[in-house]
Amino acid sequence: MAVDSKNEEENALAGLRRPDSVLKPEDFLVIRANWEPKDENLRRIAEELNIGTDSLVFVDDNPAERHRVKTGAPEAAVPELGPPETYIRILDRSGFFEVTGFSEDDVKRNTMYEANAARKKQEAGFDNYEEYLRSLEMRAEIGPFSPLYMARIAQLTNKSNQFNLTTRRHSQAELEEKEADPRRITLYGKLEDRFGDNGVVSVVYGHMGEGEPEDARPASGRAAAVEGDGGTAAGKGNDGTAAVEGNNGTATGEGNNGAATGKGNDSTATGKGNDGTAAGDGNPHGGAGAFHIDLWLMSCRVLKRGMESAMMDALVKECLARGVQEIFGYYYPTAKNRMVKDFYALQGFDKISEDDTGNSVWRLDLCGGYETKNHVIKVEEKQDEDDKRRRIRKTERNIPGCI
């Protein structure tokens, strides 16, 4: 819980410290009591907790304040309240706090938020951001999907919206099948530092060989549209799906509420449809030595802490061990993931295509070498700093097919 109040902070704290007050100051992660607009305070609360405003529910008995927050922070949930005796019923029946699963990380969530607030305070004491990151003494555990963390991995795929390149949703059983498939590489990332354990915060998986990423178009029930952090994924596609194949030609598919995908040598496919997603550039990207990233996501709680670099280094290392020559990444825009639009560019990929809806395909050539990017997180695998910074060249890795 957090407080967003128009009041003097001293007066707000005095009210919470009254002997007859059920809630005390220590029951709240953040207390913002001042005379700033409440929608601005709401955003500051989200920033301090390192979460999106779409994860917050704003409860206020003043209809003018509710209207202000609805207008200024439309991502937040703002329930309409009636008389005081209806408050509990309204909040209980609105479903804001219902969960489909409960992981070990959920048990520790309040502690994690408190640790994030402590990190924010520490950051204020540094002029150099990398030095601040080093001061956190971060340690990561990165490895293939593990039964120990599978519930949390599944939870992340169904609630992460902002740092999510393709917004695929999966059940735990589906993810277990992917881990068992020898054609796939799966990775989870767990991060902790001097302030506490963030738990599993990143998930990456993909497949080897030719072709577009799996489920290039959102299947029914997948993520064509997503509402709310931790919400439900609603997919629109199977009603009027257009598929096109062409040999040295150009094809266009259109479907109402659907999706279009194209396949064929040297052909181009374009899909258009209400609420649909278009994917496909004709000739399947890459060959037997290619790896396709089907899903890459990260929890907002560790944004800008370098975990994405540690995950990329781990993925490239695994790809090199399997003789991969090139990695393809895919970005499918949604209403909430614009923040990762240029993620692959920042990781050194080249954009090879983009359609008129913003779906883009990116390529990383491993034959030319790879410069490790993580310099602030100690990954569980023991490496000294010189080893972490060395340039991996094809002569050292002997990648088949590289010229």
Side-chain angles (χ1 to χ4, degrees):
M1 293 187 295
V3 171
D4 183 353
S5 173
K6 278 191 175 177
N7 203 338
E8 296 292 343
E9 183 173 351
E10 182 180 349
N11 294 336
L13 292 174
L16 291 171
R17 290 177 177 138
R18 287 169 52 99
D20 58 347
S21 177
V22 175
L23 295 173
K24 303 298 182 183
E26 54 270 24
D27 293 317
F28 297 91
L29 290 168
V30 181
I31 296 177
R32 293 195 69 87
N34 51 44
W35 299 103
E36 298 298 319
K38 288 192 175 182
D39 57 312
E40 294 183 13
N41 274 335
L42 194 75
R43 294 190 182 282
R44 301 294 85 76
I45 289 170
E47 288 176 6
E48 190 164 340
L49 296 177
N50 210 8
I51 61 176
T53 52
D54 60 346
S55 297
L56 297 176
V57 180
F58 178 78
V59 181
D60 198 298
D61 62 353
N62 186 331
E65 297 292 0
R66 293 198 299 269
H67 176 74
R68 173 67 189 245
V69 170
K70 281 182 181 179
T71 304
E75 309 89 355
V78 185
E80 284 300 319
L81 300 180
E85 63 269 19
T86 66
Y87 290 178
I88 294 177
R89 176 176 56 81
I90 290 171
L91 292 177
D92 180 55
R93 296 184 182 181
S94 294
F96 296 124
F97 309 107
E98 297 296 324
V99 294
T100 57
F102 201 68
S103 68
E104 182 182 347
D105 281 9
D106 292 321
V107 176
K108 301 182 292 185
R109 194 167 301 279
N110 257 27
T111 302
M112 291 175 178
Y113 286 147
E114 289 170 354
N116 263 343
R119 292 182 190 101
K120 284 288 185 183
K121 291 180 181 178
Q122 172 139 330
E123 181 183 349
F126 285 84
D127 294 326
N128 183 290
Y129 190 70
E130 183 168 327
E131 288 303 314
Y132 156 68
L133 291 180
R134 291 182 183 279
S135 77
L136 294 178
E137 301 171 6
M138 291 182 286
R139 302 170 300 281
E141 175 186 318
I142 300 175
F145 289 177
S146 164
L148 180 63
Y149 303 125
M150 200 62 81
R152 170 61 177 167
I153 292 169
Q155 183 185 59
L156 275 174
T157 68
N158 286 292
K159 68 181 294 186
S160 297
N161 295 318
Q162 293 178 295
F163 200 112
N164 194 329
L165 278 295
T166 53
T167 319
R168 289 193 171 83
R169 310 302 190 186
H170 292 298
S171 68
Q172 183 170 331
E174 289 173 328
L175 292 167
E176 288 168 349
E177 289 178 5
K178 296 181 189 306
E179 170 55 27
D181 186 342
R183 297 183 313 112
R184 298 186 182 279
I185 294 174
T186 66
L187 292 174
Y188 74 87
K190 187 173 181 287
L191 185 66
E192 60 180 301
D193 62 23
R194 59 183 297 182
F195 291 104
D197 187 352
N198 292 280
V200 175
V201 293
S202 188
V203 176
V204 178
Y205 79 77
H207 69 278
M208 310 278 293
E210 299 179 359
E212 299 288 344
E214 62 168 22
D215 303 328
R217 63 178 185 271
S220 178
R222 294 284 171 84
V226 179
E227 292 297 333
D229 200 21
T232 301
K236 298 180 180 180
N238 288 339
D239 296 333
T241 297
V244 293
E245 297 186 1
N247 190 31
N248 298 317
T250 299
T252 301
E254 296 189 2
N256 188 31
N257 293 325
T261 183
K263 297 180 181 178
N265 289 331
D266 301 318
S267 66
T268 300
T270 302
K272 297 180 179 180
N274 293 334
D275 300 317
T277 298
D281 266 349
N283 189 24
H285 303 299
F291 178 78
H292 301 266
I293 301 173
D294 297 318
L295 178 70
W296 187 304
L297 64 81
M298 191 170 72
S299 169
C300 290
R301 75 171 72 140
V302 295
L303 288 179
K304 300 181 180 179
R305 301 246 289 277
M307 189 60 180
E308 61 272 30
S309 295
M311 292 293 288
M312 181 62 75
D313 288 352
L315 176 63
V316 170
K317 181 177 181 180
E318 181 63 24
C319 284
L320 289 170
R322 298 196 189 194
V324 169
Q325 304 163 24
E326 54 187 352
I327 300 176
F328 290 93
Y330 302 83
Y331 168 69
Y332 301 147
T334 70
K336 297 184 178 181
N337 74 350
R338 186 173 176 79
M339 69 179 298
V340 292
K341 182 177 186 292
D342 298 318
F343 169 75
Y344 284 120
L346 296 173
Q347 298 299 317
F349 285 61
D350 296 316
K351 186 192 293 186
I352 61 175
S353 69
E354 182 174 359
D355 66 19
D356 57 1
T357 62
N359 299 305
S360 56
V361 183
W362 302 75
R363 177 180 180 269
L364 180 66
D365 179 12
L366 296 183
C367 291
Y370 174 77
E371 188 79 39
T372 54
K373 296 174 173 59
N374 166 43
H375 307 308
V376 296
I377 299 174
K378 183 178 180 180
V379 179
E380 191 173 67
E381 296 176 346
K382 305 300 181 184
Q383 292 178 307
D384 60 33
E385 287 299 312
D386 289 337
D387 186 47
K388 289 169 75 175
R389 287 185 169 86
R390 81 184 189 283
R391 186 171 182 80
I392 303 172
R393 301 186 184 278
K394 71 172 184 177
T395 54
E396 297 170 352
R397 290 293 179 174
N398 189 28
I399 305 173
C402 287
I403 298 175

